[in-house]
Amino acid sequence: MRKLIASPSGWLLTESPDPVARAGEAVVRVTRALIDPQWATGARASGVSPGREFVGTVVSTGPGGLEGRRVMASASIACSECDLCRAGLSVHCRNRSELGVARDGAMAERVALPATALHEIPKGLDDDRACFASALGRALHAADFVRLEGKPYVTIVGDDAVALLSAQVMTQRNASVRVLGREETRFGLCEKWGVKHRHIDQVGRRADQDVVFVCSDAPGDLEIALRLARPRATVLLVAPQSRSLEKDHSAIQVLHASEIALIGSRGERLAEALRLLATDGVDVRSLLTARYRFSQYADAFARAARPDTLRVLLEAA
Ligand SMILES: [Zn+2]
């Protein structure tokens, strides 16, 4: 089978043996996978296939009878056996492995995954929209940290796909939502959804927001988020802050002075996301920037590296 892997010189399409399902695993034939622009431009785990957002059909499995089902998977594979998994906290599994980092993701014709990580896609939900379950699941997980009393003021710092989904989810939950971004084309989407938006450089630091979602790791954005938050507000770290900390050294002082609750959010509510997508409850079609065949991966990754890209879809031939 063909498998795309990261190498120091870029992306390589390789010919690999078909994966074999070990005990408890299923082999999934990938029909669609999304390229996250961060994967196109960011750090790569060499020799590993990227791809955490995908849809496929189970082609072989051990006992469990999943053959023929359309599925997607959690990006974080849990062991199901450690104390945290057994306590229902599999997102914090002590032995978890991340797709596209510690094990192969879905930029391949087939991928073997534990059956426990798979989620069946409801009838009526097409493959294109189902690919967004992981991103929407992250937005729903973050939203569940927010205590909704009255109509809270919520600012979303960042304008990537998870940020825009968080904006839609929080608007539906009766919050007064504002997106602070940098990419002009995203503002048009916010208009379509009735979400307020501003360029991040044009906003005052009024310390009046009840909740701030940090969906960007751009240097300085965490500090902006903390300065927007009112005393005793909640600030949710939705994006991993891999680039931001050096420039955000004064952020901790703001955190202390305003007694802000800073909460990390990295889980995914996949079952809830699939239900919401099946009822067309959020607009994900607008987040699909372009689509390519798997064989056109070089063009697809070049498109994903452009700043106006939210997601690029790769389709099996
Ligand atoms: Zn575990």
Side-chain angles (χ1 to χ4, degrees):
M1 69 157 189
R2 293 178 304 167
K3 179 167 88 172
L4 194 71
I5 59 166
S7 80
S9 57
W11 303 102
L12 280 182
L13 192 60
T14 60
E15 198 55 47
S16 303
D18 277 2
V20 178
R22 292 179 296 184
E25 286 190 341
V27 174
V28 178
R29 182 171 53 78
V30 179
T31 50
R32 304 262 197 289
L34 294 180
I35 303 174
D36 181 331
Q38 285 183 347
W39 286 83
T41 57
R44 298 159 185 171
S46 203
V48 175
S49 178
R52 303 155 68 98
E53 300 170 340
F54 72 97
V55 169
T57 304
V58 176
V59 288
S60 72
T61 182
L66 288 167
E67 280 94 340
R69 306 273 181 90
R70 280 193 314 145
V71 295
M72 53 84 60
S74 165
S76 185
I77 307 294
C79 76
S80 310
E81 286 167 8
C82 71
D83 57 330
L84 291 170
C85 280
R86 283 201 295 249
L89 290 168
S90 57
V91 65
H92 301 295
C93 170
R94 297 191 193 276
N95 309 308
R96 68 175 183 266
S97 52
E98 301 291 324
L99 285 190
V101 181
R103 60 186 295 154
D104 277 334
M107 295 282 164
E109 288 176 304
R110 287 174 161 76
V111 61
L113 293 164
T116 50
L118 301 177
H119 291 254
E120 189 168 358
I121 292 163
K123 286 189 177 64
L125 174 58
D126 60 73
D127 286 356
D128 282 10
R129 283 185 298 141
C131 282
F132 286 91
S134 182
L136 177 58
R138 287 179 58 199
L140 290 166
H141 184 76
D144 281 353
F145 283 106
V146 179
R147 273 218 320 266
L148 285 163
E149 286 160 4
K151 196 175 171 73
Y153 286 100
V154 175
T155 289
I156 314 276
V157 173
D159 55 8
D160 69 354
V162 175
L164 297 176
L165 290 166
S166 299
Q168 290 188 59
V169 167
M170 292 311 296
T171 300
Q172 288 178 6
R173 295 187 183 186
N174 196 38
S176 175
V177 180
R178 173 179 69 163
V179 169
L180 303 183
R182 293 187 170 84
E183 178 54 42
E184 219 39 62
T185 50
R186 316 278 158 84
F187 296 149
L189 294 177
C190 289
E191 302 251 322
K192 187 159 98 177
W193 302 322
V195 172
K196 283 178 277 183
H197 54 82
R198 293 283 292 278
H199 193 285
I200 195 161
D201 295 337
Q202 294 169 353
V203 72
R205 315 276 193 266
R206 288 239 303 271
D208 58 0
Q209 297 297 293
D210 299 305
V211 180
V212 184
F213 284 56
V214 187
C215 298
S216 155
D217 73 341
D221 281 5
L222 175 58
E223 189 184 336
I224 290 172
L226 289 164
R227 291 190 188 283
L228 291 168
R230 66 160 168 76
R232 302 212 169 166
T234 299
V235 172
L236 289 161
L237 280 185
V238 183
Q241 299 297 299
S242 49
R243 295 190 296 152
S244 70
L245 289 176
E246 202 176 310
K247 231 185 142 185
D248 288 297
H249 53 275
S250 67
I252 300 299
Q253 289 163 11
V254 182
L255 184 74
H256 174 258
S258 291
E259 301 184 335
I260 289 166
L262 183 64
I263 300 175
S265 174
R266 63 174 282 284
E268 309 164 307
R269 305 268 158 133
L270 294 179
E272 193 181 341
L274 287 165
R275 278 197 300 273
L276 189 55
L277 287 167
T279 59
D280 229 354
V282 289
D283 173 20
V284 292
R285 287 191 181 86
S286 302
L287 307 181
L288 191 53
T289 308
R291 60 194 308 143
Y292 293 88
R293 293 277 175 192
F294 193 61
S295 55
Q296 300 170 300
Y297 71 94
D299 292 338
F301 274 91
R303 184 68 183 85
R306 281 172 45 178
D308 61 338
T309 301
L310 283 162
R311 286 290 189 275
V312 172
L313 188 140
L314 277 183
E315 248 177 307

